[in-house]
Amino acid sequence: EPVVRHFPKPIALNDIFDLRDTGKVWTFDLGMVRNKNHYPITKDEARELTRLLLRNNPISYSPTPIPKPYAKSEAQLPIQLDTDRSGRVNFEGYLNAWFIRSFAGGGLKSLIGEYEDFLNFVPTSFNNVMDIFLTHVTNVDGIDVLHKFTCMELKTPVGTEEDLRQLVRYEDWLARKLANGDHEMVQSILVAFDFQAGALEYVRKRKRIDEKTVRLIRYRVTEDKQDIMLDEIE
């Protein structure tokens, strides 16, 4: 008798668009911003995609173990924190990688707060990407409560007023997209080697007029070029 093989029914692209339109799946750029071979997503998005898979495939089977899986490598990819003469990191990508590695190891909670998801290069609807995005979830009586988002903009040289305006655009977008207009749910952080006077004045004015601040954090590379120290401007 012929062997009948049953293949799982995939998720239709229209389903992805529907979820994106309702804000339930939003980190997919679907090739519109840049060509990528991976898409970092939040846990809530993963739950929605799993729900669609189960909807299309109500009967599930235990996966068959791979007989000879690839050996797991413990080698750590190097992060080059080479700097110029002033001490600034040469490439923003390595500064970004240092933050993601720190978050993956459970670090920076004393500075950023407890967090759950941490993603980098997250696309937005105006063809720019957030450098780093985090969600903050607290368990209360067995219920996970999502109460804050963090968007971070990284600059290896000096942070400018225009950098802050870009960060505020991300903040406004997140408040509309994910927080139902609640700007207090979004924490904005600009990290740079130093900050122009105009940037410092912009933050002071925004805090005085809008009663909303942007956190400014300076970074310094250690002498051995292996780590970074952070210092927040009060």
Side-chain angles (χ1 to χ4, degrees):
E1 294 182 2
V3 177
V4 179
R5 299 186 181 275
H6 297 280
F7 295 96
K9 184 180 178 182
I11 300 174
L13 188 59
N14 285 340
D15 288 332
I16 300 296
F17 281 119
D18 288 343
L19 289 177
R20 191 179 64 176
D21 290 342
T22 58
K24 293 182 178 180
V25 168
W26 62 278
T27 59
F28 283 78
D29 63 20
L30 300 177
M32 291 183 290
V33 177
R34 61 175 61 182
N35 292 323
K36 297 191 296 184
N37 59 7
H38 74 284
Y39 296 92
I41 63 176
T42 65
K43 288 185 178 180
D44 285 341
E45 290 176 301
R47 292 188 184 100
E48 284 297 322
L49 295 178
T50 302
R51 179 185 64 80
L52 284 181
L53 283 171
L54 292 174
R55 184 200 68 182
N56 295 348
N57 304 275
I59 301 176
S60 61
Y61 300 91
S62 299
T64 303
I66 300 175
K68 294 181 180 180
Y70 289 111
K72 181 181 178 181
S73 174
E74 299 295 339
Q76 297 290 325
L77 293 176
I79 297 179
Q80 299 176 9
L81 296 177
D82 298 332
T83 64
D84 61 14
R85 291 183 178 180
S86 66
R88 300 180 297 187
V89 174
N90 290 331
F91 300 104
E92 185 179 301
Y94 285 115
L95 183 61
N96 192 304
W98 179 87
F99 271 98
I100 292 299
R101 185 177 67 180
S102 299
F103 290 137
L108 305 182
K109 292 183 178 181
S110 61
L111 182 67
I112 306 297
E114 293 284 341
Y115 53 86
E116 185 173 71
D117 299 303
F118 52 94
L119 313 177
N120 60 350
F121 305 122
V122 177
T124 65
S125 59
F126 41 88
N127 288 339
N128 280 343
V129 294
M130 281 182 285
D131 287 337
I132 295 178
F133 168 81
L134 301 96
T135 64
H136 302 268
V137 177
T138 298
N139 188 279
V140 181
D141 295 333
I143 301 174
D144 287 336
V145 180
L146 173 63
H147 55 87
K148 189 176 286 292
F149 304 104
T150 292
C151 59
M152 298 179 64
E153 181 72 8
L154 309 179
K155 297 296 177 183
T156 54
V158 177
T160 66
E161 186 174 345
E162 180 54 36
D163 296 331
L164 287 168
R165 294 185 189 279
Q166 179 179 338
L167 183 59
V168 170
R169 285 196 293 271
Y170 294 152
E171 177 188 302
D172 291 339
W173 184 79
L174 284 171
R176 289 184 285 105
K177 188 78 173 179
L178 300 180
N180 296 318
D182 184 359
H183 284 260
E184 295 302 319
M185 277 191 69
V186 184
Q187 173 181 224
S188 302
I189 300 175
L190 177 61
V191 178
F193 183 76
D194 208 345
F195 299 94
Q196 291 181 351
L200 298 175
E201 181 61 22
Y202 180 94
V203 171
R204 285 193 290 266
K205 284 183 178 179
R206 188 169 191 246
K207 186 175 182 179
R208 184 175 66 252
I209 297 173
D210 297 337
E211 297 184 349
K212 186 77 170 68
T213 189
V214 176
R215 297 177 66 184
L216 302 178
I217 296 178
R218 289 193 183 102
Y219 77 87
R220 291 292 182 270
V221 178
T222 57
E223 292 185 4
D224 60 6
K225 310 294 185 183
Q226 298 298 310
D227 206 359
I228 287 177
M229 306 297 291
L230 301 174
D231 177 41
E232 183 167 7
I233 298 178
E234 298 296 338

